[in-house]
Coordinates of all heavy atoms in Angstrom, one line a residue:
Chain B
A271 N -4.7 -26.3 -3.3 CA -3.4 -25.8 -3.8 C -2.6 -25.2 -2.6 O -3.2 -25.1 -1.4 CB -3.6 -24.6 -4.8
S272 N -1.4 -24.9 -2.8 CA -0.6 -24.3 -1.7 C -0.8 -22.8 -1.6 O -0.3 -22.2 -0.6 CB 0.9 -24.7 -1.8 OG 1.3 -24.2 -3.0
E273 N -1.4 -22.2 -2.6 CA -1.6 -20.8 -2.6 C -2.9 -20.4 -3.3 O -3.2 -21.1 -4.3 CB -0.4 -20.1 -3.1 CG 0.0 -20.6 -4.5 CD 1.3 -19.9 -5.0 OE1 1.2 -18.8 -5.4 OE2 2.3 -20.6 -4.9
Y274 N -3.5 -19.4 -2.9 CA -4.8 -19.0 -3.6 C -4.6 -18.6 -5.0 O -5.4 -18.8 -5.9 CB -5.4 -17.8 -2.8 CG -6.6 -17.2 -3.5 CD1 -7.8 -17.9 -3.6 CD2 -6.4 -16.0 -4.2 CE1 -8.9 -17.3 -4.3 CE2 -7.5 -15.5 -4.9 CZ -8.7 -16.2 -4.9 OH -9.8 -15.6 -5.6
H275 N -3.4 -18.1 -5.3 CA -3.1 -17.6 -6.7 C -3.3 -18.7 -7.7 O -3.8 -18.4 -8.8 CB -1.6 -17.2 -6.7 CG -1.2 -16.5 -8.0 ND1 -1.8 -15.5 -8.5 CD2 -0.1 -16.8 -8.8 CE1 -1.2 -15.1 -9.6 NE2 -0.2 -15.9 -9.8
A276 N -3.1 -19.9 -7.3 CA -3.2 -21.1 -8.2 C -4.7 -21.4 -8.5 O -5.0 -22.0 -9.5 CB -2.6 -22.3 -7.7
L277 N -5.6 -20.9 -7.6 CA -7.0 -21.2 -7.8 C -7.8 -20.0 -8.4 O -9.0 -20.1 -8.7 CB -7.6 -21.5 -6.4 CG -6.9 -22.6 -5.6 CD1 -7.6 -22.7 -4.2 CD2 -7.0 -23.9 -6.3
A278 N -7.1 -18.9 -8.5 CA -7.8 -17.6 -8.7 C -8.5 -17.5 -10.0 O -9.5 -16.7 -10.2 CB -6.8 -16.4 -8.6
T279 N -8.1 -18.3 -11.0 CA -8.8 -18.2 -12.3 C -9.7 -19.4 -12.6 O -10.2 -19.6 -13.7 CB -7.7 -18.1 -13.4 OG1 -6.8 -19.2 -13.3 CG2 -6.9 -16.8 -13.3
L280 N -10.0 -20.2 -11.6 CA -10.9 -21.3 -11.8 C -12.3 -20.8 -12.0 O -12.7 -19.8 -11.4 CB -10.9 -22.2 -10.5 CG -9.7 -23.1 -10.3 CD1 -9.8 -23.9 -9.0 CD2 -9.4 -24.0 -11.5
P281 N -13.1 -21.5 -12.8 CA -14.5 -21.0 -13.0 C -15.3 -21.1 -11.7 O -15.2 -22.1 -10.9 CB -15.1 -22.1 -14.0 CG -14.2 -23.2 -13.9 CD -12.8 -22.7 -13.6
G282 N -16.0 -20.1 -11.4 CA -16.9 -20.0 -10.2 C -16.1 -19.8 -8.9 O -16.7 -19.9 -7.8
I283 N -14.9 -19.4 -9.0 CA -14.1 -19.2 -7.8 C -14.6 -18.1 -6.9 O -14.5 -18.1 -5.7 CB -12.6 -19.0 -8.1 CG1 -11.7 -19.1 -6.9 CG2 -12.4 -17.7 -8.8 CD1 -11.5 -20.4 -6.3
E284 N -15.3 -17.1 -7.6 CA -15.8 -16.0 -6.8 C -16.9 -16.4 -5.8 O -17.0 -15.8 -4.7 CB -16.5 -15.0 -7.8 CG -15.5 -14.4 -8.8 CD -15.3 -15.3 -10.0 OE1 -16.0 -16.3 -10.1 OE2 -14.4 -15.0 -10.8
S285 N -17.6 -17.5 -6.1 CA -18.6 -17.9 -5.2 C -18.2 -19.2 -4.4 O -19.1 -19.8 -3.7 CB -20.0 -18.1 -5.9 OG -19.8 -19.0 -7.0
A286 N -17.0 -19.7 -4.6 CA -16.6 -20.9 -4.0 C -16.4 -20.6 -2.5 O -16.2 -19.5 -2.0 CB -15.2 -21.4 -4.6
R287 N -16.5 -21.7 -1.7 CA -16.1 -21.7 -0.3 C -14.6 -21.9 -0.3 O -14.1 -23.0 -0.5 CB -16.8 -22.7 0.5 CG -16.4 -22.8 2.0 CD -17.2 -23.8 2.8 NE -16.7 -23.8 4.1 CZ -16.1 -24.9 4.7 NH1 -15.9 -26.0 4.0 NH2 -15.6 -24.8 5.9
V288 N -13.8 -20.9 0.0 CA -12.4 -21.0 0.1 C -11.9 -20.9 1.5 O -12.2 -20.0 2.2 CB -11.7 -19.9 -0.8 CG1 -10.2 -20.0 -0.8 CG2 -12.2 -19.9 -2.2
F289 N -11.1 -21.9 1.9 CA -10.7 -21.9 3.3 C -9.3 -22.6 3.5 O -8.9 -23.4 2.6 CB -11.7 -22.6 4.2 CG -11.9 -24.1 3.9 CD1 -11.3 -25.0 4.7 CD2 -12.7 -24.5 2.9 CE1 -11.5 -26.4 4.5 CE2 -12.9 -25.9 2.6 CZ -12.3 -26.8 3.4
E290 N -8.7 -22.4 4.6 CA -7.5 -23.1 5.0 C -7.9 -24.0 6.1 O -8.4 -23.6 7.1 CB -6.5 -22.1 5.6 CG -5.9 -21.1 4.5 CD -4.9 -20.2 5.2 OE1 -5.0 -19.9 6.4 OE2 -4.0 -19.7 4.4
P291 N -7.6 -25.3 5.9 CA -8.0 -26.3 6.9 C -7.2 -26.0 8.2 O -6.0 -25.6 8.2 CB -7.5 -27.6 6.3 CG -7.6 -27.4 4.8 CD -7.2 -26.0 4.6
Q292 N -7.9 -26.2 9.3 CA -7.2 -26.1 10.6 C -6.2 -27.2 10.8 O -6.3 -28.3 10.2 CB -8.3 -26.2 11.7 CG -9.3 -25.1 11.7 CD -8.7 -23.9 12.3 OE1 -8.2 -23.8 13.4 NE2 -8.9 -22.8 11.6
P293 N -5.2 -27.0 11.7 CA -4.2 -28.0 11.9 C -4.9 -29.3 12.4 O -5.8 -29.3 13.2 CB -3.4 -27.4 13.1 CG -3.6 -26.0 13.0 CD -4.9 -25.8 12.4
E294 N -4.4 -30.4 11.8 CA -4.9 -31.8 12.2 C -6.4 -32.1 11.9 O -6.9 -33.1 12.2 CB -4.6 -32.1 13.7 CG -3.1 -32.1 14.0 CD -2.8 -32.6 15.4 OE1 -3.6 -32.4 16.3 OE2 -1.8 -33.3 15.5
D295 N -7.1 -31.1 11.3 CA -8.4 -31.4 10.8 C -8.4 -32.2 9.5 O -7.7 -31.7 8.5 CB -9.2 -30.1 10.6 CG -9.8 -29.6 11.9 OD1 -9.6 -30.3 12.9 OD2 -10.5 -28.5 11.8
V296 N -9.0 -33.3 9.4 CA -9.1 -34.1 8.2 C -10.3 -33.7 7.4 O -11.4 -33.7 7.9 CB -9.1 -35.6 8.5 CG1 -9.2 -36.4 7.2 CG2 -7.9 -36.0 9.3
H297 N -10.1 -33.3 6.1 CA -11.2 -33.0 5.2 C -11.2 -34.1 4.1 O -10.1 -34.3 3.5 CB -11.1 -31.6 4.6 CG -11.1 -30.5 5.6 ND1 -12.3 -29.8 5.8 CD2 -10.2 -30.0 6.5 CE1 -12.1 -28.9 6.8 NE2 -10.9 -29.0 7.2
S298 N -12.3 -34.7 3.8 CA -12.4 -35.6 2.7 C -13.6 -35.4 1.9 O -14.6 -34.9 2.3 CB -12.4 -37.1 3.3 OG -13.5 -37.2 4.1
W299 N -13.5 -35.8 0.6 CA -14.5 -35.7 -0.3 C -14.7 -37.0 -1.1 O -13.7 -37.6 -1.4 CB -14.2 -34.5 -1.3 CG -14.2 -33.2 -0.7 CD1 -15.2 -32.3 -0.5 CD2 -13.0 -32.6 0.0 NE1 -14.8 -31.2 0.1 CE2 -13.5 -31.3 0.4 CE3 -11.7 -32.9 0.1 CZ2 -12.6 -30.4 1.1 CZ3 -10.9 -32.1 0.8 CH2 -11.3 -30.8 1.3

Side-chain angles (χ1 to χ4, degrees):
Chain B
S272 59
E273 52 186 283
Y274 172 76
H275 187 54
L277 309 174
T279 55
L280 290 176
I283 191 71
E284 299 80 9
S285 56
R287 176 178 177 247
V288 180
F289 66 98
E290 293 181 331
Q292 295 284 309
E294 297 190 327
D295 276 0
V296 177
H297 295 259
S298 62
W299 294 268

